[in-house]
Amino acid sequence: MYKSIGVSKLSTGLRYLTYRLRSLSRREPLWRCSSRRAISWGVLCLTGLNISPALGVNNNHINSYKLYAHIQIVDAKQYRCLEMLWDKESKWNPQADNPKSTAYGIPQLLKLKSHDPYVQIDLGLKYIASRYKTVCNAWSYHKMNGHY
């Protein structure tokens, strides 16, 4: 059942991976760095990013949250819509609190109880999928109404 991989396909894959690692080392945006889960996980392992919940929010933690979200959403266009949506909502801050409602966390979900940013991302993506089907639909709705 297994197909053997030819040398040319293997070297092409290795060139693709090294290209992606070089682009990451040049600090290019995460949405450009990978388009597949395997490469995202490889970059995560090789760079040693810390994906533990943060007490304080800094750029390293925000980049970890974005990378985690990108791993969940393989499509680069959908990820870009998510990045813009949650930038508007919370600036990717897992402790963001809306004083006018009960919205909390990265996705600004109502009555969200979790303080774990990775659980917040999972719940936010589940909400978007159930209500809007795609992240870009949620972003379009947000642009027209100011919320999603």
Side-chain angles (χ1 to χ4, degrees):
M1 300 299 170
Y2 295 104
K3 290 184 177 180
S4 64
I5 298 175
V7 174
S8 63
K9 286 185 181 181
L10 184 60
S11 64
T12 302
L14 289 174
R15 274 186 280 146
Y16 180 76
L17 180 59
T18 55
Y19 168 76
R20 293 300 181 203
L21 290 173
R22 274 185 282 153
S23 65
L24 181 67
S25 68
R26 285 188 233 128
R27 299 194 184 273
E28 290 181 7
L30 287 175
W31 63 270
R32 265 197 244 159
C33 287
S34 69
S35 60
R36 297 183 190 265
R37 288 179 192 211
I39 290 175
S40 296
W41 278 113
V43 169
L44 181 68
C45 293
L46 291 173
T47 60
L49 289 176
N50 179 14
I51 59 170
S52 62
L55 297 175
V57 179
N58 62 33
N59 283 341
N60 286 339
H61 292 115
I62 290 172
N63 287 337
S64 295
Y65 307 150
K66 288 181 178 184
L67 181 60
Y68 179 78
H70 197 334
I71 290 168
Q72 302 303 316
I73 302 174
V74 179
D75 185 13
K77 181 182 177 189
Q78 294 296 320
Y79 170 73
R80 183 68 184 134
C81 290
L82 181 74
E83 189 176 33
M84 291 185 292
L85 176 65
W86 286 352
D87 266 349
K88 279 283 194 192
E89 286 289 319
S90 67
K91 304 246 185 276
W92 290 83
N93 181 355
Q95 300 161 349
D97 194 14
N98 187 338
K100 296 180 183 178
S101 72
T102 60
Y104 181 79
I106 294 172
Q108 288 292 291
L109 295 178
L110 297 175
K111 300 178 183 176
L112 181 65
K113 302 291 184 204
S114 176
H115 295 285
D116 181 358
Y118 303 101
V119 173
Q120 292 177 9
I121 290 168
D122 290 338
L123 293 173
L125 292 174
K126 190 181 289 186
Y127 168 76
I128 289 170
S130 69
R131 178 144 185 202
Y132 301 101
K133 305 297 182 227
T134 68
V135 180
C136 288
N137 290 345
W139 174 235
S140 297
Y141 184 88
H142 186 280
K143 288 191 291 186
M144 295 181 77
N145 299 298
H147 63 87
Y148 77 106

